[in-house]
Amino acid sequence: MRTTRVTAAALVAAAALTLSACGGEPLKPDSVTQISGDRSDTKVATVLDRPFAKPELVLTDTTGKPWNLREQTKGKPTLIYFGYTNCPDVCPLTMSNIAVAKKALPQADQDNLRVVFVTTDPERDTPDSLGAWLRAQDPSFTGLTGDFATIQAAARSLGIGIEAAKKEADGGVVSMHGAQVIAFSPKTDEGYVLYGEGTTVDDYAKDLPKLVKGENP
């Protein structure tokens, strides 16, 4: 596996972010990151020379209590993903891939790793429903919900575009969002590695032993 190394500034300036297969038109070029899910060049991990700062984000966890991202993940290897529980494909696959790969880690590393799922559809993803969905993936995963504008601002600070959930002509509701997973280093608490939606179980399993140590994959 080869690793791409770029700067956060270069990513932010790249072009529009193509939203995940959960639906919708690409966002206009502004301040979002473009990460491709194309695996033809085998460039799975994108390592940033200028990492993203961890957002100052306080939302509601699956127990209904306030959860401060910076405080709760300080000094911990952390993976963050923005998605929603009614997503038909990308979101459950991404969480499942991480959950399976995580099990290959030594138990101490599993216990230390933080995996945070932030909903892009807070009106439907209540603490209870989000908790039930995540427990089916991995009971240790943290689910966060809350004010959409707050969630959107946090996502954009990491170069991820999301849009409010919309009702389709057939009555279905679709939440459009970027499909990147961002890894934060336990050494610096900065987001320094990005993964696109094409990342497999094997990809995560190969990289997680390094990510939990704050090393480059």
Side-chain angles (χ1 to χ4, degrees), residues 4-192:
T4 305
R5 178 183 291 275
V6 295
T7 66
L11 286 171
V12 168
L17 168 65
T18 300
L19 300 184
S20 78
C22 295
E25 297 295 326
L27 292 180
K28 295 179 181 179
D30 48 20
S31 60
V32 297
T33 305
Q34 182 178 17
I35 300 297
S36 171
D38 180 11
R39 295 182 47 81
S40 61
D41 61 2
T42 69
K43 295 177 181 178
V44 177
T46 302
V47 179
L48 304 178
D49 284 340
R50 296 182 182 178
F52 289 111
K54 189 175 289 182
E56 293 184 2
L57 183 63
V58 179
L59 293 171
T60 302
D61 68 13
T62 55
T63 69
K65 296 179 180 179
W67 202 89
N68 187 305
L69 177 65
R70 284 191 173 182
E71 290 182 1
Q72 296 290 337
T73 62
K74 183 176 177 59
K76 301 289 186 180
T78 302
L79 303 181
I80 294 179
Y81 181 78
F82 293 81
Y84 69 118
T85 64
N86 285 284
C87 175
D89 39 38
V90 178
C91 301
L93 179 60
T94 299
M95 290 294 99
S96 176
N97 286 347
I98 294 172
V100 173
K102 174 174 169 279
K103 292 179 181 178
L105 290 170
Q107 189 60 53
D109 288 342
Q110 291 190 48
D111 294 342
N112 201 35
L113 179 64
R114 300 291 182 265
V115 179
V116 181
F117 182 94
V118 184
T119 182
T120 60
D121 184 14
E123 287 194 12
R124 290 189 296 169
D125 285 343
T126 64
D128 286 344
S129 64
L130 183 55
W133 187 82
L134 282 175
R135 282 193 295 275
Q137 301 286 348
D138 187 311
S140 73
F141 288 180
T142 296
L144 300 178
T145 187
D147 176 65
F148 176 79
T150 300
I151 293 169
Q152 185 180 50
R156 284 187 175 274
S157 76
L158 298 174
I160 299 175
I162 66 174
E163 294 183 1
K166 297 179 180 179
K167 182 172 288 188
E168 302 286 276
D170 62 2
V173 179
V174 174
S175 177
M176 294 156 48
H177 59 90
Q180 303 97 314
V181 172
I182 301 185
F184 287 79
S185 169
K187 296 179 179 178
T188 65
D189 283 321
E190 293 179 320
Y192 74 116

Side-chain angles (χ1 to χ4, degrees), residues 187-208:
K187 296 179 179 178
T188 65
D189 283 321
E190 293 179 320
Y192 74 116
V193 182
L194 307 182
Y195 293 93
E197 68 178 76
T199 309
T200 67
V201 171
D202 290 342
D203 295 330
Y204 284 120
K206 183 175 181 178
D207 287 2
L208 280 178

